[in-house]
Amino acid sequence: DAGVIQSPRHEVTEMGQEVTLRCKPISGHDYLFWYRQTMMRGLELLIYFNNNVPIDDSGMPEDRFSAKMPNASFSTLKIQPSEPRDSAVYFCASSLASAGGEAFFGQGTRLTVV
Amino acid sequence: AQSVTQLDSQVPVFEEAPVELRCNYSSSVSVYLFWYVQYPNQGLQLLLKYLSGSTLVKGINGFEAEFNKSQTSFHLRKPSVHISDTAEYFCAVSDRGDKIIFGKGTRLHILP
């Protein structure tokens, strides 16, 4: 397996624009996580899914953030409208609970909102 | 609710010296524990994990960690560090395979 694949790797957008981050988890994994990493807050869990169903979205900072997982092989994190304070690295990770729950991370998407 | 505390935000250590990175967790249930490493501009990679059994866990790159239930700790150690160990290290806790919560990370600086 190629691992967790995120796209794009880098995104620069203007304030107010819609941003969509994409993630392909490892095949067969039943959990998918979205994290945001900043210098100030470290690695924050935004939302996670189990078998494509959102389980806990309490980490989503505002209603401007939304995430979907339409099938087992794809998830999106959308920010609309984007703001400069959303600038961060966004990581997607997936895991298989029955195998010990180790999370496998993608390379991340570095988002810059200007 | 689960939480993870990494007591040191930065740890400087001389090359070939030993190092310990501290981690304490809180959880109301049995947990899985992890240490991850992040090199610059990369995602996180698993160093080691504790699921059950022996409290001393050995990982990659010569790292090991000891689970101490009474002290709710999972400190990471290496007997002799190398310049290539310069990275950020994250401790994490999971409720038996459910959501994974990370600490704020510890930057390990290796001094020549």
Side-chain angles (χ1 to χ4, degrees):
Chain A
D1 202 309
V4 176
I5 299 172
Q6 291 187 246
S7 63
R9 288 294 310 276
H10 302 273
E11 177 80 37
V12 180
T13 190
E14 291 185 347
M15 182 174 62
Q17 296 297 306
E18 176 180 296
V19 176
T20 299
L21 311 181
R22 296 173 175 80
C23 175
K24 182 182 187 320
I26 293 174
S27 176
H29 280 191
D30 52 1
Y31 279 83
L32 184 139
F33 308 88
W34 281 101
Y35 291 90
R36 178 173 68 175
Q37 185 177 34
T38 61
M39 289 291 291
M40 293 298 294
R41 295 175 179 268
L43 200 60
E44 303 172 274
L45 177 63
L46 301 178
I47 185 172
Y48 74 101
F49 297 82
N50 177 219
N51 293 323
N52 313 339
V53 176
I55 302 301
D56 184 351
D57 65 354
S58 60
M60 297 285 260
E62 300 171 37
D63 291 345
R64 298 184 296 106
F65 286 70
S66 62
K68 294 182 180 180
M69 192 165 185
N71 56 62
S73 59
F74 185 66
S75 177
T76 60
L77 178 67
K78 186 177 293 186
I79 308 173
Q80 166 63 14
S82 58
E83 296 183 3
R85 59 193 166 123
D86 301 331
S87 297
V89 180
Y90 291 81
F91 286 103
C92 175
S94 69
S95 71
L96 181 63
S98 62
E102 168 193 348
F104 291 81
F105 280 75
Q107 292 294 297
T109 295
R110 182 174 295 276
L111 174 65
T112 303
V113 183
V114 299
Chain B
Q2 301 159 316
S3 67
V4 178
T5 302
Q6 292 185 243
L7 297 166
D8 304 300
S9 59
Q10 296 190 62
V11 172
V13 62
F14 286 103
E15 196 170 13
E16 298 184 6
V19 67
E20 179 179 82
L21 305 184
R22 297 179 293 169
C23 172
N24 287 88
Y25 69 94
S26 65
S27 176
S28 58
V29 297
S30 297
V31 295
Y32 295 159
L33 294 159
F34 308 88
W35 274 99
Y36 285 80
V37 61
Q38 185 181 31
Y39 299 104
N41 300 313
Q42 294 189 24
L44 279 71
Q45 305 171 35
L46 183 73
L47 272 180
L48 49 79
K49 62 183 176 183
Y50 171 80
L51 305 182
S52 65
S54 173
T55 58
L56 183 63
V57 180
K58 294 190 182 297
I60 62 171
N61 301 340
F63 284 93
E64 64 180 31
E66 186 155 21
F67 170 58
N68 188 318
K69 187 175 182 178
S70 63
Q71 296 187 8
T72 60
S73 68
F74 191 55
H75 301 331
L76 180 71
R77 296 191 292 258
K78 186 170 182 177
S80 175
V81 296
H82 188 266
I83 194 74
S84 60
D85 294 323
T86 297
E88 188 156 19
Y89 293 79
F90 293 89
C91 183
V93 62
S94 166
D95 176 14
R96 293 282 174 174
D98 198 61
K99 70 178 179 180
I100 303 172
I101 302 299
F102 285 82
K104 291 193 178 299
T106 298
R107 288 189 181 276
L108 180 60
H109 296 280
I110 308 300
L111 307 172

